[in-house]
Amino acid sequence: MARNAVTRSRARFRRETPEDRRRQLGEAALRCIVKHGNAGVSVRQIAAEAGVTQGLITHHFGEINELVAYAFDIMSDGVLQAITRAVEEAEPAPQKRLDAFIEASFSPILFDRDVLGVWVVFWGLILHSPRMSVSQQGEYSDYVTTVQGLIGDLAAAEGFSIGDIRLTSVAFTALLDGLWLAWCLNPSAFKPQEGVQLCRNWIEGLRRGAYA
Amino acid sequence: MARNAVTRSRARFRRETPEDRRRQLGEAALRCIVKHGNAGVSVRQIAAEAGVTQGLITHHFGEINELVAYAFDIMSDGVLQAITRAVEEAEPAPQKRLDAFIEASFSPILFDRDVLGVWVVFWGLILHSPRMSVSQQGEYSDYVTTVQGLIGDLAAAEGFSIGDIRLTSVAFTALLDGLWLAWCLNPSAFKPQEGVQLCRNWIEGLRRGAYA
DNA sequence: ACACTTGTTATACGATCTTATAATTTCTGT
DNA sequence: ACAGAAATTATAAGATCGTATAACAAGTGT
């Protein structure tokens, strides 16, 4: 026991399961991107941020692009989960669920300059990384599907019609992404609560048959 | 004359005015970004693309960030000019002008993966470069103002009301940016003409008083 | 024809980058 | 207690990066 304690205190590094270590490295990568943007995507910086040596990244991910893609997946999952949770916690009426979705999108958990900044960096990488592109397509598809479900339920409950619901969902997703981007690049452009209002206005247009 | 010809053919480099050279370097930078994304932003690559040595970039721009910011300005001006020209060539009725704006936004001149790809890279840089941020804020402001003029004229001509026209213009701009981004990351998400339709639907919502 | 200005090249230096390889250490199973 | 597996470190090699400096050369004015 004493032996154990001494041994552990003398340990020069902790041995962790591949899953844990991969996640630690992924989260360190996200922190680096928050701090330095594209410049933060570097084996050395990420390893330092995670408190390990560079070789560990090679060992667990092979090449750095794989780590970045993994970090992107962590990020995507986090966002979708946060939104989904907010929706599930809302009252079951379609109006309430959709509004919870909107509110969550502009709540500090997601509508945060650090979060959005990471997102923007990823967007810039996706175009030239097939691996990232694959992740993005899956994530985007899930996202639009979620939006489509919410909007479809609302239309069914209130009895208005939508011409092409998938396309319409793409538009609403684009509005959200566009507002995220605009605010991220220039937070003085509008206030979060104004973003919520603009989304509600968009829904109001939907109700009034502008997309029929 | 013969002397002149010989001399010119033997010339090892062309001496150009600072303005011309700056523009050449800026355009070379844009081509590098098209080809390699963030990775294309490099003194060596850009100099090679422009067919000059690295020192020229230092000479004309001091540091590379200044060149990148200059390339961003070229890009912004080009986009705004192309759109403005399309609007000016349209019939003077507000409906026609706004529709020309939308059509131009999704025409191959602007709705092009190369063009949008450059845009996305710049977005990623703006967050961590004060110099880029300054350019972006000016460009964004001009853009929203243009949108605001078009929408305001339409509202006046058709007699519908808008609550906060600046904010509403921000939303329309966000919708455009969001659609650009989505299509750029994943061109199979929708067709350009569908993008036009979605913008027209948004305008229809405006007409029906969703933003009053 | 010649000197001067300055655009341009040539070269070098130090920092940082990715990746590969071998040595080390921790932990687990027996 | 000890051996073996695998996580981790340590180290190195070769590219590429940004920037500074000095030499060179093209065009201009006289």
Side-chain angles (χ1 to χ4, degrees):
Chain A
M1 289 161 35
R3 159 66 181 265
N4 236 343
V6 169
T7 302
R8 191 177 301 166
S9 72
R10 266 189 196 156
R12 309 239 298 253
F13 59 88
R14 259 177 79 107
R15 197 187 171 93
E16 315 230 356
T17 68
E19 289 153 49
D20 287 349
R21 194 57 98 183
R22 283 169 63 90
R23 172 158 278 269
Q24 289 170 16
L25 290 169
E27 288 172 353
L30 293 178
R31 289 195 299 275
C32 284
I33 295 175
V34 165
K35 280 189 222 165
H36 308 111
N38 288 299
V41 178
S42 133
V43 171
R44 281 179 153 76
Q45 287 185 57
I46 297 170
E49 173 72 33
V52 298
T53 47
Q54 316 161 22
L56 207 50
I57 290 178
T58 304
H59 183 251
H60 285 291
F61 292 94
E63 63 168 351
I64 191 178
N65 292 333
E66 205 60 32
L67 165 54
V68 175
Y70 179 76
F72 178 62
D73 290 341
I74 291 178
M75 187 84 183
S76 299
D77 287 352
V79 169
L80 199 53
Q81 274 184 30
I83 288 200
T84 303
R85 192 178 318 122
V87 170
E88 296 313 321
E89 284 173 358
E91 298 175 33
Q95 294 87 346
K96 300 288 185 184
R97 285 166 59 86
L98 181 52
D99 205 60
F101 180 91
I102 295 172
E103 284 278 3
S105 297
F106 291 92
S107 77
I109 312 168
L110 298 180
F111 206 66
D112 171 276
R113 210 153 179 239
D114 287 348
V115 173
L116 298 177
V118 173
W119 219 244
V120 173
V121 170
F122 281 138
W123 286 336
L125 295 173
I126 288 164
L127 285 165
H128 294 84
S129 163
R131 168 70 179 81
M132 294 278 291
S133 184
V134 168
S135 285
Q136 193 273 340
Q137 297 205 12
E139 177 264 331
Y140 181 75
S141 174
D142 289 350
Y143 198 88
V144 171
T145 301
T146 301
V147 170
Q148 189 167 333
L150 292 169
I151 289 180
D153 289 349
L154 185 74
E158 301 192 351
F160 60 82
S161 75
I162 299 173
D164 185 329
I165 188 167
R166 187 195 64 84
L167 211 51
T168 302
S169 303
V170 166
F172 186 68
T173 301
L175 175 64
L176 273 174
D177 284 346
L179 287 172
W180 280 16
L181 176 66
W183 187 82
C184 179
L185 297 181
N186 182 8
S188 66
F190 62 93
K191 293 193 276 286
Q193 205 51 41
E194 293 175 329
V196 170
Q197 185 54 44
L198 289 171
C199 286
R200 286 186 180 138
N201 289 334
W202 188 92
I203 300 289
E204 187 58 30
L206 194 64
R207 280 201 179 91
R208 299 188 181 197
Y211 297 79
Chain B
M1 289 154 48
R3 158 66 180 267
N4 236 342
V6 169
T7 302
R8 191 176 301 167
S9 73
R10 265 186 196 158
R12 310 237 300 252
F13 59 87
R14 259 178 78 109
R15 198 187 170 93
E16 314 228 357
T17 69
E19 289 154 49
D20 285 348
R21 195 57 99 184
R22 283 169 64 91
R23 173 157 278 266
Q24 288 169 17
L25 289 169
E27 289 173 354
L30 293 177
R31 289 195 299 275
C32 284
I33 294 175
V34 165
K35 281 190 221 163
H36 307 111
N38 288 297
V41 179
S42 133
V43 171
R44 283 176 155 78
Q45 286 184 58
I46 296 170
E49 173 71 33
V52 299
T53 49
Q54 316 160 22
L56 251 195
I57 290 178
T58 304
H59 183 252
H60 285 291
F61 292 94
E63 66 171 346
I64 191 178
N65 292 334
E66 207 59 32
L67 165 54
V68 175
Y70 180 75
F72 178 62
D73 290 340
I74 292 179
M75 188 84 182
S76 298
D77 287 352
V79 168
L80 198 53
Q81 274 185 28
I83 288 200
T84 303
R85 192 178 319 124
V87 170
E88 296 312 322
E89 285 172 356
E91 299 175 32
Q95 294 87 348
K96 300 288 186 186
R97 285 166 59 88
L98 181 52
D99 206 61
F101 179 92
I102 295 173
E103 284 278 2
S105 298
F106 292 91
S107 77
I109 312 168
L110 298 180
F111 206 64
D112 172 276
R113 215 158 175 234
D114 287 347
V115 172
L116 298 177
V118 173
W119 219 244
V120 173
V121 170
F122 282 138
W123 287 335
L125 295 173
I126 289 164
L127 284 165
H128 294 84
S129 163
R131 170 68 180 80
M132 295 278 291
S133 184
V134 169
S135 285
Q136 194 273 339
Q137 298 204 13
E139 176 264 331
Y140 181 75
S141 174
D142 289 349
Y143 197 89
V144 171
T145 301
T146 301
V147 169
Q148 189 167 331
L150 292 169
I151 289 179
D153 289 349
L154 185 74
E158 300 192 352
F160 60 83
S161 75
I162 299 174
D164 185 330
I165 189 167
R166 188 198 63 86
L167 210 52
T168 303
S169 303
V170 166
F172 187 67
T173 301
L175 175 63
L176 272 175
D177 284 346
L179 287 172
W180 278 18
L181 175 66
W183 187 81
C184 179
L185 297 181
N186 182 8
S188 65
F190 62 92
K191 292 193 277 286
Q193 205 50 42
E194 293 175 330
V196 170
Q197 185 54 48
L198 288 172
C199 287
R200 288 187 179 136
N201 289 333
W202 187 92
I203 299 289
E204 187 58 30
L206 195 64
R207 279 200 179 90
R208 298 188 182 197
Y211 297 79

